[in-house]
Amino acid sequence: MIQAFHVYKQYDRESCALSDVTVHVNKGEFCFLTGPSGAGKTTFLKLVFREELPSQGQIIVGGRNVTAIPDGQIPLLRRSIGVVFQDFKLLKRRTILENVAFVLKILTVSSKEQKRRAFTALKSVGLHHKMHAYPLQLSGGEQQRVAIARALINDPMLLLADEPTGNLDPDMTMEIMTLFQEVNSRGTTVLVATHDREMIQRLGKRVIALEKGRVVTE
Amino acid sequence: MIQAFHVYKQYDRESCALSDVTVHVNKGEFCFLTGPSGAGKTTFLKLVFREELPSQGQIIVGGRNVTAIPDGQIPLLRRSIGVVFQDFKLLKRRTILENVAFVLKILTVSSKEQKRRAFTALKSVGLHHKMHAYPLQLSGGEQQRVAIARALINDPMLLLADEPTGNLDPDMTMEIMTLFQEVNSRGTTVLVATHDREMIQRLGKRVIALEKGRVVTE
Amino acid sequence: MALLRALRYFVEEAFISLWRSRLIHAVSIGTIAVSLLVLGTFLTVASNLHAAVAEWSRKIQIVLYLEDGLEGRIRESLERRLAGDPAVAGVEHVTQEEALRRFRRLFPDLQRLPEDLGENPFPASLEVTVRADQDALANVDRLVVEYTQAPGVEQVQYDSLWIRRLNTAIQLVRWIGGFLGGILVIASVFTISNVIRLTAYTRQDELDIMRLVGATRAYVQGPFVVEGVIQGGLGGLAGVGLLWLAFRMLVGRALASSDLLGRAVVFLPIQLAAAIVIGGMVVGIVGSLVSLRRMPV
Amino acid sequence: MALLRALRYFVEEAFISLWRSRLIHAVSIGTIAVSLLVLGTFLTVASNLHAAVAEWSRKIQIVLYLEDGLEGRIRESLERRLAGDPAVAGVEHVTQEEALRRFRRLFPDLQRLPEDLGENPFPASLEVTVRADQDALANVDRLVVEYTQAPGVEQVQYDSLWIRRLNTAIQLVRWIGGFLGGILVIASVFTISNVIRLTAYTRQDELDIMRLVGATRAYVQGPFVVEGVIQGGLGGLAGVGLLWLAFRMLVGRALASSDLLGRAVVFLPIQLAAAIVIGGMVVGIVGSLVSLRRMPV
Ligand SMILES: Nc1ncnc2c1ncn2[C@@H]1O[C@H](COP(=O)(O)OP(=O)(O)OP(=O)(O)O)[C@@H](O)[C@H]1O
Ligand SMILES: Nc1ncnc2c1ncn2[C@@H]1O[C@H](COP(=O)(O)OP(=O)(O)OP(=O)(O)O)[C@@H](O)[C@H]1O
Ligand SMILES: [Mg+2]
Ligand SMILES: [Mg+2]
């Protein structure tokens, strides 16, 4: 599903966010991406869904070379990937139901269908009772769960989750992980960036560890 | 330092973010505030530095009744409290050095002194080498550390930290906790809202647990 | 179907945005309206002045006052000679009685004055209308000199100096109007693209998020274009409406009935009014596209 | 000291904000400049027209053409009678020779025409200037009737119709100028408060953060007020500058040398130009305060 070959990413002259990263994630796999603060986890995920371009190297996602696809096709790539952003990236001026439904809206799904599926997605993270609230009216953990619901609503072929449980209590963390495993068992490839060692140990999945932009253990 | 008497906070008709919360935190204490997502931790902290007013009840902070102080005195209250916000709240258009120095700037400290102290604060969280970067050029964990440096720069009488290690790896988490304990030993009262059970256990401090807006263990 | 849904989404979003920050949009529509109002005012003045000048030009006159008791034969030969001149558009004979009648019509207050004087003081005259072409002023000069000494002509009166002054004034109005008009069209484009740029800017975060979850560029920008069209259209409508109100209140009432300007003052033709509104909408589209040009993918 | 530091901070922040989003501010300053430019244009036209009209009014003339070979005695008694009339400001005697000289001066092309005709065709005349007061037009009418039949007077010529038309035109310009001028002052206030509101709006997050870390309301708002002042001032300067350029390029060159308007066309007096700039700054302060009024604590 994800094949990265000798990828480098340099934001500025002095330092390298990623150096010579070669990583393969198979279709249907569930794996963790870990490493200390500033190691390059978020940067790697950004390269996968083409928010950023690598300075060097190639990345193939779902058979498409994302370093070379034309601008017009980028939205298509992104629609096939569900992303839980580290800073949530919710639309402040829309209710959380609208936020979750937006992914379907841009596919011009009928609005009834949008609502139905968005409600189901919110229910799976336990927030259906707050569906008419705006993001800033929610607690940090609640916002994070909305971001998770949005990432999952369109049954993506690939799920990228960046520190998806940083604002959640241990019980809720386990619930979300169970949800991710369910989604994974339905065929979605899952890549979770996290610091939570306890969670990684408990799930016993494959771990890719970064440090200062380099892969240290596979 | 903090005395809350029968505090209620209702954002909307249906639900109560805080119900009948009575809590005392002594001067010089270090304690944790915990509870599942949406329990009311952030709400309680917001009441303490008067971002929100309680619907009912009284809160005394450092001898001042914050439910009754005039508008003109609110800035004075806030200057004596260091806050690490759950969503960081950094100024996007200023470098992180400027972000940290801003707290001193509004006190009209000389700009040389501002820079000196801001640099020291950034150094204590290990980010002095990135001082000219803008927040959006930093990783999630790095931004969180900037927020921590800003909260500490002016030696506040009270430190409120809302999930201050949600984006940090375990090693960095321990470093930050050590920093907080140092600050605490210099006389600052510290109140940390967190989900991290491991951290709470390891430090062995007093824990205030909230659930659905009520205090469940003291 | 998909296209229709997208279009509906654009319009809905545009209205939601207009409504959510209605104050700012009211102010911006007001600004556009004022720009177009100023433009419309100039168009109104220009079109009226143009018509008035055309009318006045047709009236450039030389009056040949005739000697008292002139023989009809001599008068007729004068009339024939004038009618044959290529610069002359028409000749009218005004008798002494007709001159008196005109005086009484123009100055009703002084009705009885001529009678008090005992005798008709007004001479008969030939009113010569000069062809309204580019050489009109030169022709006037030539005719004046030519007929000052003609037999039977007592005195030649003509409007040359005032016409020169009027022409200067008209030229001035044209310059100023063209100058201000040009600047104001630019200002309108500026204002709209300014407001749309700022609107987009205040929602930069949102636009980024939309793109990151897979919305196409067209999908993200559509609502802004529609918003621009609506803003421009509303601004144009408000501008024309205000202009019409002002016209009715100020100019219409005072001048429509009198004919001192030489003709009735009229409002903009409906086509031009419509053009202002449609122009506002086009400017809205252009302004929004310009302001959204450099959005990243 | 603290106050000075705060003030320095306001100015620094204002300039940083102006520089960081310089495109948007350039556009907004441009909008303000155009508003003030339009206002300035009207002020210029109005002040020039006013002066010209005053000048022209002083020149309302009735010309009494005298019979050929009139006795000096009769002419002098006419002059005395005219000079005694309260409506008359002055009387000038123009001899036949003087009339010929004037003709030659006005129409150099036709220099030799009078000689070709063999005789001086121009009659002597008395040029009567009417006092420029409210009754000027009525007085002209009365004088015309009174002297048309006077002994020695061949013919009376006067400008009444043109003067009436001109007066109408001036009234029209005043109405339109007042109307547009009023609207444009309002538009300027609108524009500045609009831009500042939007600027504050784009930085709402920042302003919230500042308050949450203990900045006072005055401290948060100070930079915006300074920004408003700078924007208004720059807009005013640009407007006056553009007006001056336009004046030099269009109006100045074409009209300053000729005196067809009756007098030289002049630029706005320096005080009025300064008033526009200072007005811009005041509007900037007011606009920023208005737009920041409802900020929470
Ligand atoms: N837009 C940017 N411009 C410049 N430098 C950047 C930018 N984004 C990230 N960096 C730098 O690249 C490095 C890697 O950042 P990244 O966000 O990938 O880290 P991370 O592993 O996600 O860390 P965290 O766990 O703290 O989120 C960091 O040192 C960061 O400062
Ligand atoms: N501005 C607001 N308007 C309406 N409801 C709000 C608002 N802020 C918080 N709430 C609600 O109040 C409850 C408590 O929120 P709070 O942010 O205090 O939770 P928390 O304990 O900080 O949770 P987390 O660990 O997820 O950050 C939540 O149910 C939340 O939805
Ligand atoms: Mg990260
Ligand atoms: Mg919280």
Side-chain angles (χ1 to χ4, degrees), chain A residues 170-185:
Chain A
D171 299 345
M172 186 58 74
T173 299
M174 282 326 295
E175 270 181 48
I176 294 297
M177 281 304 128
T178 309
L179 188 62
F180 281 8
Q181 282 177 300
E182 256 173 59
V183 171
N184 179 240
S185 69

Side-chain angles (χ1 to χ4, degrees), chain D residues 6-18:
Chain D
L7 220 79
R8 211 180 108 194
Y9 161 77
F10 293 169
V11 174
E12 273 175 14
E13 281 303 302
F15 274 104
I16 288 173
S17 163
L18 285 167

Side-chain angles (χ1 to χ4, degrees), chain A residues 139-141 167, chain B residues 38 40-43 86 162-163 193 195:
Chain A
S139 80
N167 287 277
Chain B
K41 303 182 292 298
T42 303
T43 302
Q86 193 169 10
D162 196 352
E163 202 70 62
H195 295 298

Side-chain angles (χ1 to χ4, degrees), chain A residues 11-12 15-17 35-44 46 52 86 162-163 195 210, chain B residues 130 136-142 145 167-168:
Chain A
Y11 288 107
D12 43 36
S15 62
C16 229
S37 172
K41 305 180 292 298
T42 301
T43 301
F44 184 74
K46 280 182 178 172
E52 299 277 358
Q86 193 170 10
D162 197 353
E163 202 72 62
H195 294 297
L210 290 174
Chain B
K130 297 231 168 203
L136 292 180
Q137 297 174 338
L138 295 184
S139 80
E142 286 164 350
R145 284 182 277 156
N167 288 278
L168 298 179

Side-chain angles (χ1 to χ4, degrees), chain C:
Chain C
M1 199 56 197
L3 197 73
L4 259 174
R5 278 222 184 94
L7 220 82
R8 211 183 106 194
Y9 161 77
F10 292 170
V11 174
E12 275 174 15
E13 281 304 301
F15 274 104
I16 288 172
S17 163
L18 285 167
W19 180 247
R20 278 207 177 133
S21 36
R22 51 192 172 280
L23 194 72
I24 288 165
H25 281 103
V27 171
S28 92
I29 289 171
T31 309
I32 296 162
V34 168
S35 289
L36 293 178
L37 169 61
V38 172
L39 195 68
T41 306
F42 266 93
L43 286 176
T44 309
V45 172
S47 81
N48 275 293
L49 257 189
H50 189 81
V53 165
E55 196 106 352
W56 289 354
S57 298
R58 230 174 295 127
K59 286 184 188 161
I60 295 181
Q61 275 193 345
I62 304 170
V63 183
L64 309 183
Y65 290 101
L66 304 174
E67 286 167 3
D68 278 352
L70 188 70
E71 277 180 58
R73 195 175 47 78
I74 299 178
R75 198 201 72 227
E76 278 161 26
S77 95
L78 258 175
E79 277 188 67
R80 261 198 306 282
R81 208 177 119 201
L82 279 164
D85 194 303
V88 171
V91 183
E92 196 192 350
H93 174 215
V94 179
T95 61
Q96 284 199 284
E97 295 73 39
E98 173 64 20
L100 182 62
R101 236 176 286 128
R102 280 199 195 170
F103 176 83
R104 287 203 168 120
R105 201 152 14 99
L106 266 170
F107 307 105
D109 312 354
L110 307 175
Q111 275 287 2
R112 301 190 40 230
L113 239 161
E115 278 150 39
D116 292 352
L117 294 167
E119 198 189 313
N120 185 342
F122 300 103
S125 62
L126 291 178
E127 289 185 358
V128 180
T129 313
V130 176
R131 226 174 268 290
D133 58 23
Q134 295 207 312
D135 303 324
L137 290 181
N139 286 330
V140 167
D141 294 339
R142 181 175 59 75
L143 288 169
V144 165
V145 173
E146 211 172 308
Y147 287 90
T148 297
Q149 281 300 77
V153 176
E154 280 262 8
Q155 175 63 37
V156 178
Q157 185 187 321
Y158 63 105
D159 294 329
S160 173
L161 185 61
W162 282 114
I163 291 174
R164 280 167 198 282
R165 282 184 178 166
L166 191 74
N167 258 335
T168 306
I170 287 164
Q171 221 169 334
L172 197 69
V173 166
R174 280 206 189 123
W175 277 339
I176 294 169
F179 172 67
L180 282 186
I183 283 184
L184 282 165
V185 167
I186 296 168
S188 299
V189 179
F190 252 37
T191 307
I192 294 187
S193 77
N194 180 359
V195 169
I196 290 190
R197 195 189 301 269
L198 284 173
T199 315
Y201 193 79
T202 60
R203 291 169 55 187
Q204 193 58 56
D205 293 1
E206 281 191 56
L207 304 185
D208 288 343
I209 294 170
M210 288 180 188
R211 287 182 304 94
L212 289 180
V213 300
T216 59
R217 205 191 178 89
Y219 201 81
V220 173
Q221 300 190 346
F224 286 94
V225 177
V226 174
E227 203 178 309
V229 172
I230 296 174
Q231 274 186 62
L234 286 181
L237 275 178
V240 170
L242 277 176
L243 183 60
W244 190 80
L245 270 180
F247 178 82
R248 292 301 303 266
M249 281 168 52
L250 287 175
V251 188
R253 189 191 296 176
L255 292 177
S257 52
S258 85
D259 65 349
L260 281 173
L261 233 170
R263 57 192 295 283
V265 175
V266 295
F267 192 59
L268 284 181
I270 185 79
Q271 294 95 324
L272 211 54
I276 290 181
V277 177
I278 292 171
M281 294 166 84
V282 171
V283 164
I285 295 178
V286 174
S288 58
L289 288 179
V290 164
S291 68
L292 295 170
R293 210 173 8 137
R294 275 186 290 175
M295 190 180 272
V297 190

